[in-house]
C-alpha cells in the first residue's frame, strides 16, 4: 500500500543539526512532489517545505528558509530534510506527505496532501 | 500567524450538523482542502478541491466555498468525527502551502 515513513528525529541541542528522512513505498515516487509539515506540541500544522518530483524546484516557509534544505534521491525513494541551526521553536513532530494533483479549475490545479507519514519527533533542548 | 482563519472550537450534538469555516484572501484564487486529525494520529484529508471526498470518507462530510471563505460541513455528526480539522490552501504567491490554525470539534 501507499506509505511514507519518517525517521531521524530525536533530541538535539540548540544550534546543532539534524537530518530527517522520508522513505516512500507503494507508488511511483519519482512522479510526485513531497512536502514536509510540522506540528509543535499541542499546536496546529505548519507547512515547512516542498520539493518537486525531480528535485528541480524547492520552496520553503519563511521559518525554514536559510536553515533547512530539502532534497530527494529518487533511486532510493527518499526525501530528506536537513535542518541546521536548530532552535527551541523547531521542536515539533515532522510529517512528510505526498502531493496529489487532480483536475485543473480556472487555471489552478486541484492539489492536496495524501497520504501523510506517521511523523517523527524533533526536540530541540539543551 | 496563519493566512487562513478558523474558529478554535465548535461543539455539536450527536446526529446534528456542524459547519466549520476557513477565511483567507488566497481562497479567492485557490481551493481549500480539509484534513481531520485525531489524537496521536497523522492528519488525513477528508475534503479536497473544495468539495471532493477521497474514497472511504463518508458522504456526511461536504465542502463549499464562496468568496474568501471555505466551509466544511458534517451532516449527522457521529462520535468518531470528534477531532481537529484543518483547512489548507496556498498563499497568495501560489508557491507556499498554508494551514489554518485548526478547529476542534467536540461531539456532545
Amino acid at each position: 500500500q501507499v506509505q511514507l515513513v519518517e525517521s531521524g528525529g530525536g533530541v538535539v541541542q540548540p544550534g546543532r543539526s539534524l537530518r530527517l528522512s522520508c522513505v516512500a513505498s507503494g507508488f511511483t515516487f519519482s512522479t510526485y512532489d513531497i512536502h514536509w509539515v510540522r506540528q509543535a506540541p499541542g499546536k496546529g500544522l505548519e507547512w515547512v517545505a516542498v520539493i518537486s518530483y525531480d528535485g528541480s524546484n524547492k520552496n520553503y516557509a519563511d521559518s525554514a528558509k536559510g536553515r533547512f534544505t530539502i532534497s530527494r534521491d529518487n533511486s532510493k525513494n527518499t526525501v530528506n530534510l536537513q535542518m541546521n541551526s536548530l532552535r527551541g521553536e523547531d521542536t515539533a513532530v515532522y510529517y512528510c506527505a505526498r502531493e496529489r494533483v487532480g483536475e485543473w479549475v480556472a487555471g489552478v490545479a486541484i492539489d492536496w496532501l495524501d497520504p501523510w507519514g506517521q511523523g517523527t519527533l524533533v526536540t530541540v533542548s539543551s | 500567524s496563519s493566512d487562513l482563519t478558523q474558529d478554535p472550537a465548535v461543539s455539536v450534538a450527536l446526529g446534528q450538523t456542524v459547519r466549520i469555516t476557513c477565511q483567507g484572501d488566497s481562497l479567492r484564487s485557490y481551493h481549500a482542502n480539509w484534513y481531520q486529525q485525531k489524537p496521536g494520529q497523522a492528519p488525513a484529508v477528508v475534503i479536497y478541491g473544495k468539495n471532493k471526498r477521497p474514497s472511504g470518507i463518508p458522504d456526511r462530510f461536504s465542502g463549499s466555498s464562496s468568496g474568501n471563505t471555505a466551509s466544511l460541513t458534517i451532516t449527522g455528526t457521529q462520535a468518531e468525527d470528534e477531532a481537529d480539522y484543518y483547512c489548507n490552501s496556498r498563499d497568495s504567491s501560489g508557491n507556499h502551502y498554508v494551514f489554518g490554525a485548526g478547529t476542534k470539534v467536540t461531539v456532545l
Side-chain angles (χ1 to χ4, degrees):
Chain A
Q1 74 279 25
V2 176
Q3 193 174 15
L4 299 170
V5 178
E6 303 94 336
S7 62
V11 180
V12 61
Q13 293 179 329
R16 303 299 291 266
S17 299
L18 202 63
R19 188 176 85 156
L20 307 182
S21 294
C22 169
V23 178
S25 60
F27 63 99
T28 306
F29 178 73
S30 61
T31 63
Y32 288 90
D33 294 2
I34 301 294
H35 295 246
W36 285 97
V37 178
R38 69 184 182 183
Q39 186 171 36
K43 303 297 184 182
L45 302 173
E46 180 188 11
W47 177 79
V48 175
V50 60
I51 187 166
S52 61
Y53 66 98
D54 61 356
S56 63
N57 286 302
K58 306 170 187 179
N59 276 296
Y60 300 91
D62 288 346
S63 58
K65 202 172 300 181
R67 298 188 302 126
F68 294 4
T69 301
I70 191 170
S71 62
R72 68 189 295 159
D73 183 342
N74 284 344
S75 69
K76 296 180 179 179
N77 283 9
T78 299
V79 169
N80 296 311
L81 186 68
Q82 176 68 41
M83 304 187 295
N84 299 330
S85 303
L86 284 162
R87 309 164 179 163
E89 54 265 37
D90 296 318
T91 295
V93 174
Y94 285 73
Y95 298 99
C96 62
R98 179 182 69 168
E99 179 181 314
R100 298 283 308 275
V101 180
E103 61 183 337
W104 285 70
V105 176
V108 177
I110 302 298
D111 57 332
W112 65 101
L113 299 180
D114 177 61
W116 298 54
Q118 86 289 348
T120 187
L121 176 62
V122 173
T123 303
V124 183
S125 174
S126 55
Chain B
S1 65
S2 171
D3 292 343
L4 300 176
T5 301
Q6 296 181 241
D7 290 332
V10 296
S11 59
V12 56
L14 185 68
Q16 296 304 301
T17 296
V18 62
R19 188 176 76 167
I20 306 163
T21 61
C22 173
Q23 287 188 301
D25 287 342
S26 65
L27 295 179
R28 298 184 186 277
S29 302
Y30 299 99
H31 65 279
N33 304 315
W34 291 92
Y35 300 88
Q36 178 192 68
Q37 187 180 33
K38 296 182 179 180
Q41 296 184 15
V45 62
V46 292
I47 293 289
Y48 67 91
K50 189 169 71 176
N51 193 20
K52 299 184 187 301
R53 277 178 293 106
S55 60
I57 300 300
D59 60 6
R60 63 179 179 270
F61 289 89
S62 63
S64 63
S65 181
S66 178
N68 73 336
T69 301
S71 301
L72 172 70
T73 300
I74 311 174
T75 304
T77 307
Q78 302 300 301
E80 61 263 31
D81 299 333
E82 187 164 284
D84 294 325
Y85 291 85
Y86 295 90
C87 62
N88 148 245
S89 184
R90 290 183 177 270
D91 69 359
S92 54
S93 76
N95 293 322
H96 296 180
Y97 267 38
V98 289
F99 287 91
T103 298
K104 182 176 183 59
V105 172
T106 299
V107 182
L108 304 174

